[in-house]
């Protein structure tokens, strides 16, 4: 019994010892963490002291340099003004000295004539008096004293060169350190988003002549409202902007929004960023659905190359926001369609046989969309258009009622045709390097453009009964797709002009 008791006491003591050891280990760990934290803080303080010393020396040197520059400017201005005074004094001195010399000589000559006249008058000789009087008269008439101007040629007044630097002195006395620039405000109502171009306009609370430039930052996002702590995309920086607006061109809108912020900078410091502003950047984006591609097509996200070997298993990249089937609608992301979003469907079979086709992974069931495709003009065959999801795996683009396309044929003889339901119309236009595809789903319009010149190549007019998918075909060639594009304004303008007119290609519809 005593043995059991002693065993129990030993176990309790051992457990208590373990508890105390664990507690001590926690205390030790806490102390170690605190010591590390304090050590890091000490390093931070030392670094701050070093930075303070370096920054103080820098601003002190800058102040001395600026003051030296002011002194140099004042010395230069003083020297220039003294030179002006000396030149003015020398010029006037010369004028007055010359006039003084001329007057002195005239006075001397006049005094001689006066003395001669007095002597003649006092002379008792009468024989030569008449002649002497005549000579004196002639001499007086020609005397310099009667041709002199008795008005000074130069003034002795130098008051126009007096100075009063009281205002400048007040300005100098008002010198102070550069203030932090005020925070700009982005004027949302004046910002514009058009043709994959964004113009951002901002203002300051009050004018500031010390502003040297502005820094604009923009970031892609799929979330409306203020930026989140963690975003999927980094800020892109544009520096050295001199005006209170900036235009970003050549953008690819592969997210729903762009967020902007701007700050002002003077010579020394940058101000705070403005409140972020989010602008909607609606555009049609998609990738190519490798699961649908013919096995002779080597498919990347947005490019395709002909692979004559074929039959190899291709990597199918899975996007966490997409399925392997083309079930994503721009109506979902852009909120353009009041219709229901399509329901999920199983992935489709690959195209096979002579249908060297690949589809996009996103359907179109509403609104206006636009994308471009750049293709190898040496391809034996190439086609671009749209198709219904029901397009058969053996069907070639344009050869059934389920697809509409423009087809380039380089086999034997080159031709460019518009195809639908196994009917073709030859197009009388140059073959471009890239083609722009415009669709207005609600109006049943599918148009093809020269992507560079925006010249209309062909328009299908129909009534889409089902959602359609961008579709592509290539044989012995390659192509790449450009998405994230807004409908170009010139295309929209041309479509408005053509609305209400009958299609010249009705036989293909």
């Amino acid at each position: 019994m005593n043995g059991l008791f002693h065993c129990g006491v030993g176990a309790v003591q051992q457990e208590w010892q373990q508890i105390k050891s664990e507690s001590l280990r926690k205390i030790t760990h806490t102390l170690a963490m605190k010591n590390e934290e304090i050590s890091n803080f000490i390093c931070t303080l030392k670094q701050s002291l070093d930075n303070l010393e370096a920054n103080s020396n820098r601003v002190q040197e800058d102040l001395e340099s600026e003051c030296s520059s002011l002194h140099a400017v004042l010395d230069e201005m003083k020297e220039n003004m003294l030179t002006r005074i000396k030149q003015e004094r020398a010029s006037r001195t010369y004028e007055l000295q010359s006039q003084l010399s001329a007057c002195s000589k005239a006075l001397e000559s006049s005094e001689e004539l006066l003395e001669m006249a007095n002597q003649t008058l006092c002379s008792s000789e009468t024989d030569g008096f008449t002649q002497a009087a005549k000579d004196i008269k002639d001499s007086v008439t020609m005397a310099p004293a009667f041709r002199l101007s008795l008005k000074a040629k130069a003034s002795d007044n130098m008051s126009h060169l007096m100075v009063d630097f009281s205002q400048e002195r007040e300005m100098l006395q008002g010198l102070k350190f550069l203030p932090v620039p005020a925070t700009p405000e982005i004027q949302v109502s004046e910002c514009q988003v058009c043709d994959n171009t964004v113009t951002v306009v901002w203002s300051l609370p009050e004018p500031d002549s010390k502003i040297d430039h502005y820094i604009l930052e923009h970031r892609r996002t799929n979330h409306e409202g203020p930026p989140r702590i963690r975003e999927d995309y980094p800020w892109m920086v544009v520096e050295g902007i001199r005006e209170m607006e900036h235009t970003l061109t050549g953008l690819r809108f592969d997210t729903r929004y762009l967020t902007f912020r701007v700050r002002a900078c003077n010579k020394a410091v940058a101000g705070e960023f403005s409140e972020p502003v989010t602008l909607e950047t609606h555009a049609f984006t998609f990738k190519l659905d490798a699961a649908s591609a013919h096995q002779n097509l080597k498919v990347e996200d947005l490019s395709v190359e002909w692979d004559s070997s074929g039959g190899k298993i291709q990597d199918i990249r899975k996007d966490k926001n997409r399925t392997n089937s083309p079930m994503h609608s721009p109506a979902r992301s852009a909120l353009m369609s009041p219709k229901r979003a399509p329901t999920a469907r199983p992935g489709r079979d690959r195209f096979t046989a002579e249908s060297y086709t690949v589809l996009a992974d996103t359907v179109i069931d509403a609104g206006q969309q636009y994308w471009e495709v750049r293709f190898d003009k040496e391809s034996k065959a190439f086609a671009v258009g749209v198709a219904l999801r029901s397009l058969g795996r053996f069907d070639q683009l344009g050869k059934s009622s389920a697809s509409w396309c423009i087809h380039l044929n380089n086999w034997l003889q080159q031709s460019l045709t518009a195809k639908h339901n196994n009917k073709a119309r030859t197009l009388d236009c140059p073959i471009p390097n890239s083609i722009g595809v415009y669709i207005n789903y609600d109006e049943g319009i599918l148009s093809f453009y020269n992507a560079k010149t925006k010249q209309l190549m062909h328009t299908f007019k129909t009534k889409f009964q089902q959602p359609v998918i961008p579709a592509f075909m290539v044989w012995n060639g390659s192509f790449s797709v450009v998405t994230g594009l807004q409908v170009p304004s010139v295309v929209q303008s041309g479509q408005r002009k053509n609305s209400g007119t009958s299609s010249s290609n009705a036989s293909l519809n």
Side-chain angles (χ1 to χ4, degrees):
M1 189 73 179
N2 289 334
L4 291 174
F5 175 78
H6 287 299
C7 288
V9 170
V12 171
Q13 289 178 341
Q14 185 177 3
E15 184 177 355
W16 177 248
Q17 184 68 26
Q18 290 177 350
I19 292 174
K20 288 195 292 184
S21 297
E22 182 65 25
S23 176
L24 184 59
R25 277 195 294 270
K26 289 182 179 180
I27 293 174
T28 303
H29 177 72
T30 302
L31 285 175
M33 293 294 293
K34 177 56 69 174
N35 288 346
E36 183 179 0
E37 184 180 352
I38 294 174
S39 297
N40 291 336
F41 184 63
I42 289 174
C43 291
T44 302
L45 289 176
K46 289 181 178 179
Q47 185 63 49
S48 296
L49 285 171
D50 293 339
N51 292 342
L52 176 62
E53 184 70 19
N55 291 334
S56 298
N57 290 335
R58 179 177 60 82
V59 296
Q60 183 175 339
E61 291 172 0
D62 186 58
L63 175 62
E64 291 176 351
S65 174
E66 289 293 330
C67 289
S68 296
S69 298
L70 283 177
H71 284 302
V73 171
L74 288 173
D75 289 340
E76 183 180 0
M77 291 182 62
K78 176 183 175 182
E79 190 63 32
N80 290 338
M81 297 175 80
L82 285 175
T83 299
R84 171 75 186 281
I85 292 174
K86 291 176 181 178
Q87 291 175 344
E88 188 79 11
R89 180 176 65 187
S91 174
R92 294 193 184 192
T93 298
Y94 176 79
E95 292 287 344
L96 292 176
Q97 288 283 12
S98 298
Q99 193 173 16
L100 175 60
S101 176
C103 287
S104 297
K105 290 180 179 179
L107 179 59
E108 183 179 350
S109 175
S110 180
E111 287 178 345
E112 290 177 356
L113 286 175
L114 180 59
E115 183 179 357
M116 185 184 299
N118 287 332
Q119 290 178 357
T120 301
L121 288 174
C122 295
S123 175
S124 56
E125 298 180 4
T126 57
D127 294 340
F129 180 81
T130 303
Q131 184 60 41
K134 183 178 181 303
D135 292 342
I136 292 172
K137 179 182 178 182
D138 292 341
S139 296
V140 169
T141 303
M142 300 298 294
F146 291 96
R147 297 197 301 273
L148 286 175
S149 171
L150 298 182
K151 182 179 179 181
K153 291 184 177 181
S155 172
D156 59 356
N157 188 348
M158 296 287 282
S159 59
H160 66 292
L161 296 178
M162 294 291 291
V163 294
D164 178 9
F165 291 152
S166 56
Q167 291 184 350
E168 289 79 2
R169 191 177 300 109
E170 290 180 3
M171 289 178 61
L172 288 174
Q173 291 171 346
L175 291 178
K176 54 187 177 181
F177 295 108
L178 277 173
V180 176
T183 302
E185 180 182 358
I186 296 178
Q187 304 297 319
V188 180
S189 61
E190 298 183 31
C191 297
Q192 294 183 350
V193 181
C194 181
D195 292 339
N196 287 84
T197 295
V198 179
T199 298
V200 185
V201 181
W202 59 88
S203 62
L204 290 172
E206 57 185 26
D208 186 352
S209 60
K210 300 293 185 181
I211 297 297
D212 180 70
H213 65 277
Y214 299 90
I215 296 176
L216 177 68
E217 294 189 354
H218 59 95
R219 178 164 63 186
R220 295 177 293 164
T221 180
N222 284 308
H223 304 279
E224 190 175 11
R228 302 178 304 168
I229 296 177
R230 298 184 64 181
E231 285 283 356
D232 297 329
Y233 301 96
W235 287 105
M236 307 301 291
V237 182
V238 183
E239 297 182 323
I241 303 172
R242 303 295 177 181
E243 305 295 331
M244 287 194 289
E245 67 174 63
H246 186 73
T247 299
L248 298 168
T249 60
L251 300 174
R252 181 172 176 263
F253 293 158
D254 54 359
T255 57
R256 294 180 62 190
Y257 305 97
L258 276 176
T259 301
F260 295 88
R261 65 183 185 181
V262 64
R263 62 177 171 178
C265 305
N266 56 31
K267 180 182 175 183
V269 67
E272 295 292 330
F273 275 110
S274 65
E275 286 294 321
V277 166
T278 299
L279 301 179
E280 185 175 5
T281 53
H282 166 67
F284 183 43
T285 60
F286 62 84
K287 293 180 181 180
L288 298 175
D289 181 15
S292 70
H294 190 284
Q295 288 188 338
N296 283 111
L297 302 183
K298 182 180 179 182
V299 180
E300 298 293 338
D301 286 343
L302 288 170
S303 63
V304 171
E305 290 186 7
W306 171 263
D307 182 4
S308 59
S309 61
K312 296 181 179 179
I313 299 177
Q314 303 184 36
D315 293 330
I316 303 174
R317 291 178 170 80
K318 296 182 179 180
D319 191 305
K320 63 180 180 180
N321 294 323
R322 301 179 183 270
T323 65
N324 286 340
S325 60
M327 292 293 48
H328 302 278
S329 167
R332 282 183 178 179
S333 59
L335 301 178
M336 291 192 61
S337 173
K339 304 176 184 177
R340 66 177 179 85
T343 56
R345 301 172 186 167
R348 59 164 295 132
D349 295 331
R350 286 183 182 273
F351 288 95
T352 189
E354 294 183 356
S355 180
Y356 304 112
T357 304
V358 60
L359 301 178
D361 66 352
T362 306
V363 301
I364 300 171
D365 61 0
Q368 303 178 57
Q369 317 297 345
Y370 179 84
W371 64 97
E372 294 180 356
V373 56
R374 300 166 184 165
F375 57 93
D376 180 6
K377 294 174 70 173
E378 300 302 319
S379 301
K380 293 298 183 183
F382 169 77
V384 57
V386 299
L388 301 181
R389 179 170 167 75
S390 58
L391 182 67
R393 60 194 298 254
F394 295 96
D395 291 345
Q396 299 180 33
L397 291 186
K399 289 195 174 183
S400 72
S401 61
S403 62
W404 300 257
C405 73
I406 277 187
H407 184 275
L408 169 66
N409 183 18
N410 274 326
W411 181 249
L412 299 179
Q413 184 177 358
Q414 189 178 71
S415 64
L416 186 65
T417 55
K419 290 186 174 183
H420 171 61
N421 202 17
N422 208 24
K423 296 179 181 178
R425 178 184 292 275
T426 301
L427 303 182
D428 185 17
C429 63
I431 298 175
N433 292 319
S434 58
I435 295 175
V437 183
Y438 165 83
I439 183 171
N440 186 329
Y441 183 89
D442 302 316
E443 298 294 330
I445 295 174
L446 176 65
S447 295
F448 299 86
Y449 290 84
N450 181 319
K452 182 177 180 180
T453 64
K454 299 300 184 288
Q455 178 182 358
L456 179 63
M457 299 170 62
H458 184 77
T459 293
F460 291 102
K461 288 191 175 182
T462 185
K463 186 174 182 180
F464 299 115
Q465 302 292 341
Q466 305 174 35
V468 294
I469 312 170
F472 309 86
M473 183 280 294
V474 67
W475 176 43
N476 280 323
S478 62
F479 67 88
S480 61
V481 184
V482 182
T483 69
L485 302 178
Q486 295 184 303
V487 179
S489 56
V490 64
V491 170
Q492 288 184 326
S493 176
Q495 290 291 330
R496 284 194 293 268
K497 289 180 181 178
N498 294 333
S499 63
T501 61
S502 60
S503 172
S504 60
N505 309 301
S507 62
L508 294 178
N509 297 338

